Every structure is written in C-alpha cells, then in structure tokens.
Amino acid sequence: MSRGKPIGRLFLVFAMFALFMAGCEKPMSNVLDPQGKTGKEQLHLINLSVYIMILVCVVVFAIFFYVLLRFRRKPGDNSIPKQVEGSLTLEILWIVIPVILLVILAIPTVAVTFSQAKAAPKQQSDDFIRVKAIGHQFWWEFQYPDHNIRTAQELHIPVGKKVYVEVTSDDVVHAFWVPGLAGKVDASPGRINRVPIDAEKPGVYKGRCAELCGASHALMNFQVVAEKSSDFDKWVKKRQSPNSDPQTAEQKDGKKVFAQNCMSCHAIDGTQLKMRGNKAPNLTGFSSRNKIAGLLDNNEKNLDRWLHNPEEVKPGTYMPGFSHLDKKDMTSLKAYLQSLE
Amino acid sequence: MATLVVLLVFALFIGAILTGGYNKQMIERFRSHWLWEWLTTVDHKKIGVLYALGGGFFFIFGGIEALLMRIQLFFPDNHFIVGRDFNELLSMHGTTMIFFVAMPLLFALMNVAIPLQIGARDVAFPFLNALGFWLFFAGALLMNLSWLFGGAPDSGWTNYVPIALNEYSPGTGIDYYVLGLQIAGFGTTMGGLNFLATIINMRAPGMSFLRMPLFTWTSFVASALVLFGFPPLTAGLFLVMFDRLFGAQFFEVALGGNPVIWQHLFWIFGHPEVYIVILPAFGVMSDVISNFARKRLFGYTSMVFATLLIGFLGFMVWAHHMFTVGMGPMVNSIFAIATMAIAVPTGIKVFNWLFTLWGGKITFTTAMLYAVGFIPTFVMGGVTGIMLSVPPADFQYHDTYFVVAHFHYVLIGGTVFGILSGLYYWWPKMFGYTLNETLGKWNFWIFFIGFHLTFLIQHVIGLYGMPRRYFTYQAEDGITLFNQISTVGAVMMAVGAILLVLNIFVSYRQRESLVAGGDPWDGRTLEWAIPSPPPVYNFAQLPQVRALDCWWHEKMEGNKEMEPAEPLESIHMPNDTPLPLIMSIGFFIAGLGLVFRAFEVGIVGLLVVIVAMFMRSFKPDHGYHIEVEEIKATEKGA
C-alpha cells in the first residue's frame, strides 16, 4: 500500500501519522486508496479540493504568522497605530480570487455529480450486474434479481464489471458504504437509491452502515468479496443449486434442531424445510462465509459464542440466545451449519 | 404518579415545618433573600449571568458525556459503554452542547454586552428576557432528568425517524428530547425576538446601524436566524410528538408518510443553527481583535455586509447535510454551489481580521489569545467545510469522523473559542474584576493544544473508514493509535476546562487585587464608557454617539466621558417578577406529565402557565422610577 497519499500533504502532521499507519494498515477500507472507478473519481475530487484548500491555508497562515510576529506591542509602547478604514482594492481582491478558486472546484464537481448518478441501463447485459441491498437492524440482505439469488452479509461481485447496487431498508434508515470502493448512499424505508460500484482487483472489502440505526449500528458490518469473473460464475452456480443436505447422522440431527428452532426466521435454500423464514439472514452456504453475523471470524468457537449469547456480541439484535439447547443439540446444529457450502 | 403526589405533599410538609407554617413574615423572608432577587430578576446583566451559569452547568454534563465516549473508544472492541448506552451518550452530548451550552452562553454574552454596546438601559422586553432564560433552563433540566428517569434519548441529536419513533425507541428518551427542546425552543425564540426589537428600537441617539459594534451586528443577524430557523424545528418536533404520544403515523411509509420530511425540517432549522452559534462568535472576535490591536476594524462595512450575506445564504444550503439521501444530481449540485458561495463572505471576514491586526499594536491578553487562536482553527474548519460541499466527495466523508472533526473545528474552534474570548473580555464589565491572566494563559494553551490533538487526527480516522456514532472499531481497521491520540487530547481539553473553573474561583478570591475600572482594556466601544459593574440603569444619561467606536473617538478627542444626549431625569425601570419562573415551572410540569403519558399532569402544568399569563396580562405593573438624587448618589459612589 502506498502511504502518504495526497491528503498527507495537507498538514505535516498527517504525513507523520501516515508513517505510523504503514505497520498496522489493513487495506481495502480506505477512502484514500480506492480500488474501484467510482471511488477513484471521488478521490480525484477530494485531491482537487485538498490542493485548492492547501493554497488557501498557506496564504492565510503566512499572513497570520507574519502579522503576529511583526506587530506585537512592545512593553511601554503607548503609541496609537494608524486607524485604517479599509481598502476597496483588497476587498475586491479577496472576493475575486476565492470566486475563481470555487469555479475551478465547482465545474468538475457538477460534472461528476451528474455522471455518477446514472441509473442502470434498462436491458440486461453482460457488462454489468444488478444487486439489491436491503438494510435490516443489524444486518444486510443482498438479492441478485437477474440470478435469482438471496444472500446476506457477504456481497459477491465480479472484478471489472459495473455493479449497480439498489439500496433500500426494511426498517430504519441505514446507509450502505464500502469505503474502499465508493461513497455511501442512504438506505431509507420506502425508497430505492442507487450507487454504482466496481472493483478493479480481487479482494475482500469492508462494508459498513453509516447512518445511526440503533444499538448495534457500529457492528452492522458486511463484506464485499470481489472475485475473478470465472470464480464469480462458480459462486453463482453454487448459490443457485446449493448442496444443503446433511451428510452425517450428526448433521441430520442438526437439521432437525434447525427446523425446530431456526427456520421461522432463517432460510436455507436447497432444503425441503417447511418454512423459508426471511426475517433474518439467509444461511445458505454458511460455512463459506468469512464472518459470522458479519462480524466474528467464522470458526466453531465464535459460532458457539454467537448462538449462546448474541446479545453480548451484537447489543439489541433480534436474534435470541439458544443457551437452553442441550449440549448434543447444540453440537449437531453447529455441525450442520458448518457443513453448508 | 401517586409517588409524585406523595413526594409533593411530603415536600410541602417539610417546608411548613422548616418555615413555621404560612405567615406574612415568611413571604417577607423569602423576598428579602438574595436568591429571590436572582429568581425574579428582569435585569439584562443578571439574566446574562444566569445564562452563563446555566450554560456552564450543562457544559459539565456535555463534557463528561464526551469523555465517557472517548474512554470507550480508547481500545478496539472495548466493552466499557456499548450499544444503546453509547447512543444515549452521543445523543445527549450533541443536544446538550448545541442547545444547552453554546446557545445559552452566547445569550449570556448578548445579554451582558448588547444593551451596553448600543447605549440602552435594558432590552426591549425585560419580562420576555427572563421568561426566555427560565424556559431554556426548564427545557434543559427536563431533558437531563432523562438520565435518572426512563433513559436518555438515543437517536442522535438529529433524532432521525423512524429510529426515533415508538417502534424502535420504545422508552421515554425521545419524549424527553421532543418536549425538552420544545420548551427550550420557546425560550430561544423569545430571546431572538427580544434582541431584534432591542437593537432596532433602543439604540442611543447617534448610534446608527453602521456605527454599531460588530458583536451587536452579528447578534442581530443571529437573532433573525433564530426567529426564522426555530419554527421549522418546532413543526418537526410537533410531528414526532404527535407520532409518539398519539400514534399519528406521519412518517410511516405504508400509510403514505415519509421519513425524509423530518430530515428536511430538521436541517432547515439545523443549518441556520450553525450560523446562529457562529455569527455572535465572529462578532466577539471582531471586537476583541480590534480592541487589542488598538485599531479600528479593517473594512467595517464589508464585515457587516458579509455577516448579512452569511445569514441569508445560511438558509439556502440545508440539503448539503443530506447529499446521500438520494435527492438526485440536480438538487445536489444546486446545494453544492450555494454552499461553496458561503466561502466568499467568510473569506472576507478572515482577511479583514488579518488586516485589522496588520499594522496594529497587538497585546496578547487571554481574550486576545482565544481570538487569535480562533483564526487558523476556524480556517481549517472552513476549508474542510468546502471540501464537504462537493457531493461525490461527500459521499465518502458523510457521517464519518471526518465530519465529526470538521464540525468540532468550527463549533469549538469558532463558537467555544469565541465564547471564552468574550468571557475573558467582558468578565470585568460583568463583575468589576478581571480574571487572572496567568491562569488564563494556561487555560488557553492547554485547551487549545488539547483541542487540536483531539480533532486533527479525527479527519484521518474518518478517511480510514470509521463512521461517526460508532461505539467501537476493530483492531484490524488500523485506527487504534489515532483513537488513542484523540482520547488523550480530550482529557487535555478537560484539564483546560477545569483550569477555567479554577481561574474563576481563584480570581474571585483575588478580586481585591484584580479590580477593574470602567475601562480595563483601553476599550473602543460604548460599554467601556460606564463603570464596572454598571449601575442597574446602565446609563445615568443616554450618551450621544458621534462615531464608530464611539468611546475611542471621545478618548481621542480628550474627553473623559461620553457627551450626554439628555438631561438628568428620573429613570423608569421594570419591576422584578416571579411570573417567568412560575410559567417555566408550569411548562416543566406539563413536559414531565407528557413524557410519562400522564395527560392530567400535563393539563395541570399548562393551567399553571395560563394562570401566570393571565396574571401577567391583567395585573397592572407599571414599574418604578429611580429618582435623580439616587442616581447622583450612585454615580458619585462609582
């Protein structure tokens, strides 16, 4: 990762901290290092405005420090300085120059604002895909209307293709934000907002909710997994015809436990369960996800923690704890969930 | 409810036992008590002090809330205060600091300085002035009671719906917010109206509009913004109140409602509010800088017009808080350009301050340090403001710590520095002694450095992808160190604030040696022409104003005092009255009743208000006169 991006030049201090960052930097969620076209256009505007503002700051600070050093009152000096009324020339100067600077900034601003607001083309094509992102307290649902897929917490996209994300909400106002790819847009109940995203490199990008949405607003993370086109197609196939059948006896028991306790809220595609709950994340292919609840690393210990006491992990979550299940049921449930690919 | 009644009766019993029951002497004893004088005062100087005390009191709460949040954010995945509790802290911190700290402290300065600066004996409506203060205090107290009874509001100071509606915030928190802000908002609106009327009608002979000190000018514009800015907020609060108390469903999408309406109403108020709190601070800076540079303000007229322009444009830009709502590129572009336009008048101000200093003889008192420290700080907050006005870039900054850093740079670097500068500047006028300068300088430097330590790094935290209002972050985000630096800075700011309190305490102990005459700073404007603290009637004879910076003008002419514009006559003064306090208690009871859905209590509270209004309207109160002999005696003593 490159450190000391242009904003580092804004203040010396920033550059200093950029050095600190080098060690602990985890890429992919940094506004200053976007991996997609939308984010890069936005970064260009950020840079342009930073350059103009550095110019302003330099001029103001130079005058400021000169004045403070030059015009101190010496002890015992009781003379009265000349009472100046003002200067028309100067006033015009510091009206005209800022106006010019602002025009320089405003033109690309308006141009990009319009170009980024274009909606997805009407007819389907191979150049882009459409995704619907729906915010819930406190998780994200993703639907691929053209592929007939519903999933949650992990948004898979093909590298190099434009992805038009249609963002909305099922309850309160959230905001869909993938800092490493593009700026955010609000997820409001009853309306659909669009944001075009794309990733130039394969990788995992951190996504966040950016509008206060309740107790676990800070934990409403999700992930954007950008894959090569071929990998993405494989993923699509797998989601369209998932293998959710239990293999071992333990897993079969687990499926029963799931049917008794979980299915009214959670759905798993490719099973013959009586219900397909849609109040909570779709769990198809659970074991292939990087994170549990969008938050914890996906391993048995964390799954155990989450199932026993979700409130401790995500305050205010609608998921109830299942510590009342006996040990055997819990083990088989975990085994079943971890077998879902 | 029953508990409340029992407590009330119990309190009456205790009162009766302690006072020996009701008798006439008891009323006399009440009336002669010093506290009674403060509870019933209508004197603008005393109300100014009350506003300062109220604002300072709630500043402690807001500050503690901020510190608790910074402690939680010291470590990644910290479990000190999480979830809803953290949301309560951030909501109350924002609401308290804006409505119950910044506004009252500015009103304190306005109350103290404006009548003196324009040569008036009081504000236009002294009764309304007292009522404004007590309503603010009742509203603020009501909202802070939420910590004790039923939980604090938890939907941010912006209180977006639907998260603020019953379904998602079922406790009483938001009810406290809605009712507390309505009550405090009444008070603020009255205050704004009062200052408008005062400045238009009560200027001394010769004090034309273009001779008014800049603090009076900026407060004038800010008051106009209060008058037009608060009604949309009140309308929005009404909608939320009806929704929560009576199930009105204004924001329910399924019934044709629209949650975005609240955002518009809030920001139509919210953006002018930013200028309401920054413009008077600009005014303080202008007066202080001109005073301690010993020069008249450079480009006075353009400063005045820049203020008017900022006030006007302040109403045209609210939607830049809502770029991500999805209003479309046309709306976003219009509001982006309008926002950028504000940079021009603000730039005029900054350069005029710099050129006021240019060629001056600068004395660095604490007041001046705050004014000088304000310039670079505010410029940095200003340039990030322009950066935020670019919609596609704002999609990245919006609701992140970058925004948090930006608005703290303007609100602390602008408003708070302005308030503190004004406090050090006008303290001798209020109390007759200056604050200790050595402690003052410690106070400034520690607060100033702590401030930059806290908030400079928050720009980076935001760009590294941390949204605001997050109670935690993960170690993998790589922002642990930045958050720790920020917390250290916050602690330093707290130390700075404690030094201010210490300074006030120490200066009070040393007041004999810090005693200030009428004009301790070699001032320029009219308030320095009269004794400190001023007599209750301010000016024995209204002065004749002959120039901008009229007191400086007279001093340059070799005069020892302002030329009087009227003969010495008896002065008509308003009577003190407990009615504003009683009305506010009525509103407080009504608010508390509605919070707990005890509508009968709400009605009782409103009845108290109506009875007090009736008494005010129909009981004749003609005030009293201070006779010439008494004035002469006071003037000789001073």
Side-chain angles (χ1 to χ4, degrees):
Chain A
M1 283 303 97
S2 56
R3 48 195 152 87
K5 279 276 162 188
I7 195 140
R9 285 167 230 162
L10 177 51
F11 311 110
L12 191 67
V13 195
F14 275 47
M16 231 171 66
F17 288 127
L19 289 173
F20 284 116
M21 292 168 200
C24 47
E25 190 176 24
K26 193 88 172 164
M28 311 307 197
S29 72
N30 192 332
V31 171
L32 302 178
D33 189 23
Q35 303 296 318
K37 187 164 166 281
T38 310
K40 282 191 172 153
E41 284 173 4
Q42 289 165 345
L43 180 64
H44 284 148
L45 279 178
I46 293 176
N47 287 343
L48 174 65
S49 60
V50 167
Y51 296 142
I52 295 176
M53 294 311 146
I54 290 173
L55 185 70
V56 172
C57 282
V58 165
V59 172
V60 172
F61 286 20
I63 301 175
F64 177 74
F65 285 112
Y66 174 75
V67 164
L68 287 198
L69 295 175
R70 172 77 178 69
F71 298 107
R72 306 165 147 271
R73 180 177 175 184
K74 313 274 176 313
D77 177 4
N78 275 326
S79 64
I80 287 161
K82 189 162 170 254
Q83 305 290 308
V84 189
E85 280 195 25
S87 152
L88 190 62
T89 329
L90 281 174
E91 299 285 350
I92 291 172
L93 193 69
W94 59 58
I95 290 173
V96 171
I97 294 178
V99 168
I100 294 172
L101 292 178
L102 288 176
V103 170
I104 295 173
L105 182 61
I107 291 169
T109 296
V110 174
V112 176
T113 304
F114 274 89
S115 77
Q116 289 196 342
K118 281 195 189 113
K122 285 276 181 296
Q123 66 275 32
Q124 230 175 300
S125 110
D126 274 349
D127 307 333
F128 67 89
I129 63 167
R130 266 185 297 212
V131 182
K132 199 165 180 191
I134 304 166
H136 300 263
Q137 277 181 328
F138 301 94
W139 59 281
W140 289 94
E141 177 181 350
F142 300 112
Q143 299 177 356
Y144 296 71
D146 301 331
H147 305 90
N148 201 18
I149 297 172
R150 274 166 179 252
T151 179
Q153 309 290 29
E154 256 184 39
L155 176 62
H156 284 250
I157 61 169
V159 163
K161 260 192 202 172
K162 198 109 197 154
V163 181
Y164 289 99
V165 187
E166 299 184 335
V167 183
T168 186
S169 163
D170 196 39
D171 38 41
V172 302
V173 182
H174 305 272
F176 175 92
W177 188 30
V178 191
L181 294 180
K184 63 190 74 62
V185 65
D186 282 4
S188 290
R191 60 174 297 138
I192 292 173
N193 288 322
R194 292 171 183 83
V195 56
I197 64 172
D198 65 295
E200 288 167 354
K201 278 193 285 193
V204 180
Y205 302 87
K206 200 161 184 172
R208 300 174 181 278
C209 174
E211 183 64 65
L212 182 64
C213 63
S216 276
H217 167 53
L219 303 174
M220 198 174 149
N221 293 349
F222 62 99
Q223 298 200 309
V224 177
V225 181
E227 304 165 306
K228 277 185 271 169
S229 239
S230 53
D231 291 339
F232 177 74
D233 291 341
K234 262 188 240 162
W235 178 83
V236 168
K237 287 242 161 54
K238 227 162 145 189
R239 282 295 153 275
Q240 281 169 340
S241 47
N243 178 14
S244 305
D245 287 329
Q247 306 297 320
T248 66
E250 190 183 37
Q251 289 169 11
K252 276 182 188 145
D253 286 346
K255 191 177 167 189
K256 271 185 210 143
V257 178
F258 185 89
Q260 284 158 4
N261 293 286
C262 316
M263 74 174 179
S264 61
C265 298
H266 292 280
I268 296 175
D269 300 338
T271 54
Q272 271 73 51
L273 291 168
K274 267 180 278 170
M275 275 183 82
R276 287 170 48 92
N278 58 5
K279 281 184 229 153
N282 186 309
L283 294 178
T284 317
F286 178 81
S287 72
S288 67
R289 288 190 190 152
N290 293 322
K291 302 273 184 185
I292 299 170
L295 195 67
L296 304 168
D297 284 335
N298 194 348
N299 57 40
E300 208 215 310
K301 206 177 121 224
N302 282 334
L303 182 57
D304 199 65
R305 187 176 154 207
W306 172 246
L307 288 173
H308 271 97
N309 194 356
E311 179 70 24
E312 183 254 332
V313 178
K314 263 193 186 179
T317 178
Y318 289 111
M319 165 109 172
F322 285 89
S323 45
H324 56 276
L325 293 184
D326 65 35
K327 206 166 178 197
K328 185 173 154 283
D329 282 355
M330 187 61 100
T331 318
S332 50
L333 176 63
K334 281 186 285 182
Y336 176 59
L337 287 175
Q338 288 183 314
S339 74
L340 297 169
E341 281 180 4
Chain B
M1 210 53 258
T3 334
L4 199 73
V5 173
V6 170
L7 279 177
L8 217 63
V9 172
F10 191 65
L12 284 175
F13 264 121
I14 298 270
I17 291 164
L18 289 180
T19 54
Y22 174 83
N23 56 38
K24 287 214 165 130
Q25 274 139 17
M26 187 186 122
I27 293 196
E28 279 313 306
R29 257 155 68 195
F30 264 137
R31 293 219 161 139
S32 56
H33 197 269
W34 62 268
L35 194 61
W36 183 255
E37 196 186 317
W38 284 91
L39 293 178
T40 60
T41 185
V42 293
D43 178 1
H44 72 95
K45 299 177 285 293
K46 283 197 177 125
I47 291 173
V49 174
L50 286 175
Y51 264 120
L53 282 173
F57 176 71
F58 290 110
F59 185 63
I60 298 171
F61 285 81
I64 290 173
E65 283 148 17
L67 276 181
L68 289 175
M69 285 191 284
R70 283 313 322 169
I71 292 171
Q72 159 65 17
L73 291 171
F74 194 75
F75 295 110
D77 287 317
N78 199 358
H79 274 83
F80 176 55
I81 296 175
V82 299
R84 175 150 287 184
D85 297 340
F86 191 86
N87 290 351
E88 291 182 354
L89 282 180
L90 67 87
S91 308
M92 283 303 283
H93 169 72
T95 317
T96 303
M97 287 302 197
I98 293 278
F99 292 101
F100 308 143
V101 177
M103 305 269 311
L105 287 178
L106 288 169
F107 270 126
L109 297 180
M110 284 152 77
N111 261 303
V112 167
I114 287 178
L116 303 182
Q117 284 197 330
I118 62 173
R121 295 220 164 93
D122 205 324
V123 291
F125 308 112
F127 179 90
L128 212 58
N129 200 16
L131 183 58
F133 166 74
W134 288 110
L135 283 177
F136 139 70
F137 195 73
L141 204 63
L142 180 67
M143 202 186 290
N144 274 282
L145 272 190
S146 64
W147 286 118
L148 301 177
F149 308 114
D154 59 354
S155 303
W157 86 283
T158 50
N159 200 52
Y160 275 15
V161 293
I163 186 182
L165 300 181
N166 285 328
E167 191 181 352
Y168 301 104
S169 184
T172 50
I174 307 296
D175 302 315
Y176 278 112
Y177 174 93
V178 168
L179 289 153
L181 278 195
Q182 278 183 53
I183 295 171
F186 286 149
T188 311
T189 314
M190 285 173 199
L193 192 72
N194 204 351
F195 284 116
L196 279 179
T198 306
I199 294 170
I200 293 173
N201 292 316
M202 313 233 344
R203 283 166 290 123
M207 176 63 81
S208 62
F209 269 102
L210 282 180
R211 282 180 187 168
M212 293 193 321
L214 218 74
F215 177 68
T216 300
W217 253 116
T218 53
S219 301
F220 179 65
V221 176
S223 301
L225 294 184
V226 166
L227 194 64
F228 294 107
F230 269 72
L233 176 70
T234 312
L237 290 172
F238 258 68
L239 296 183
V240 176
M241 181 175 80
F242 274 72
D243 211 309
R244 285 186 66 94
L245 293 181
F246 313 118
Q249 312 283 15
F250 287 116
F251 305 109
E252 175 58 52
V253 176
L255 294 171
N258 186 349
V260 178
I261 288 294
W262 163 264
Q263 299 184 23
H264 280 291
L265 285 171
F266 184 85
W267 288 116
I268 290 175
F269 147 79
H271 200 81
E273 170 70 13
V274 175
Y275 292 103
I276 292 168
V277 294
I278 194 66
L279 283 177
F282 283 173
V284 176
M285 301 308 178
S286 306
D287 284 3
V288 169
I289 285 175
S290 152
N291 193 140
F292 292 105
R294 307 191 88 196
K295 266 184 73 196
R296 71 173 266 160
L297 194 65
F298 192 89
Y300 171 84
T301 322
S302 64
M303 286 295 251
V304 169
F305 282 98
T307 310
L308 288 168
L309 198 57
I310 292 174
F312 176 75
L313 287 173
F315 275 103
M316 306 290 151
V317 297
W318 80 89
H320 69 212
H321 298 269
M322 301 168 58
F323 280 152
T324 65
V325 160
M327 297 176 297
M330 183 57 92
V331 175
N332 280 0
S333 300
I334 291 170
F335 279 95
I337 305 289
T339 306
M340 290 179 190
I342 292 191
V344 177
T346 315
I348 293 176
K349 284 191 164 281
V350 171
F351 284 109
N352 276 315
W353 286 321
L354 289 175
F355 279 81
T356 305
L357 292 168
W358 191 289
K361 301 272 180 196
I362 306 170
T363 319
F364 289 100
T365 57
T366 310
M368 185 61 166
L369 280 177
Y370 271 113
V372 163
F374 155 90
I375 294 178
T377 314
F378 185 79
V379 166
M380 281 163 70
V383 297
T384 49
I386 299 300
M387 290 167 68
L388 282 160
S389 75
V390 178
D394 178 73
F395 295 162
Q396 287 285 25
Y397 308 132
H398 182 74
D399 267 339
T400 68
Y401 264 85
F402 190 87
V403 175
V404 175
H406 159 71
F407 68 68
H408 281 94
Y409 261 83
V410 286
L411 283 176
I412 296 181
T415 306
V416 175
F417 283 12
I419 288 168
L420 292 174
S421 176
L423 198 68
Y424 277 93
Y425 182 58
W426 281 307
W427 190 273
K429 190 45 70 185
M430 289 158 85
F431 299 108
Y433 60 92
T434 53
L435 286 171
N436 184 315
E437 279 291 313
T438 317
L439 269 172
K441 278 168 189 160
W442 276 97
N443 162 233
F444 166 75
W445 282 111
I446 292 193
F447 193 75
F448 183 79
I449 294 168
F451 162 76
H452 282 281
L453 205 57
T454 312
F455 292 106
L456 189 60
I457 195 70
Q458 288 191 358
H459 293 102
V460 186
I461 296 177
L463 295 174
Y464 265 60
M466 180 161 169
R468 67 194 280 206
R469 295 165 169 175
Y470 263 31
F471 68 75
T472 195
Y473 51 93
Q474 282 75 47
E476 69 196 28
D477 298 336
I479 47 178
T480 311
L481 180 68
F482 306 156
N483 273 298
Q484 289 172 346
I485 292 171
S486 186
T487 303
V488 170
V491 172
M492 212 166 147
M493 284 173 81
V495 174
I498 290 169
L499 278 175
L500 174 67
V501 177
L502 186 74
N503 191 358
I504 291 172
F505 183 71
V506 169
S507 305
Y508 177 74
R509 298 283 300 265
Q510 299 174 342
R511 63 190 181 282
E512 306 292 316
S513 60
L514 292 169
V515 74
D519 186 13
W521 311 121
D522 196 4
R524 309 177 69 84
T525 42
L526 196 49
E527 72 266 35
W528 305 111
I530 53 172
S532 315
V536 62
Y537 47 78
N538 297 349
F539 297 89
Q541 293 160 286
L542 290 185
Q544 177 68 46
V545 175
R546 297 197 285 194
L548 176 69
D549 291 343
C550 54
W551 174 232
W552 178 264
H553 177 79
E554 298 296 333
K555 284 195 282 189
M556 290 298 106
E557 303 258 295
N559 297 333
K560 291 271 183 289
E561 54 192 27
M562 298 296 297
E563 186 190 332
E566 60 175 12
L568 193 58
E569 284 171 340
S570 71
I571 297 170
H572 183 205
M573 299 295 290
N575 278 328
D576 286 358
T577 162
L579 285 177
L581 178 62
I582 293 172
M583 278 189 204
S584 305
I585 291 173
F587 270 117
F588 182 83
I589 294 171
L592 209 58
L594 290 183
V595 165
F596 288 105
R597 309 290 201 274
F599 295 115
E600 54 282 33
V601 179
I603 291 167
V604 169
L606 290 178
L607 274 179
V608 173
V609 175
I610 290 167
V611 169
M613 282 167 78
F614 187 85
M615 283 168 69
R616 166 69 187 162
S617 302
F618 294 100
K619 201 179 135 205
D621 177 6
H622 298 302
Y624 66 101
H625 281 84
I626 302 178
E627 297 307 329
V628 175
E629 288 70 41
E630 205 184 329
I631 300 171
K632 276 185 182 156
T634 315
E635 291 295 304
K636 212 178 261 171

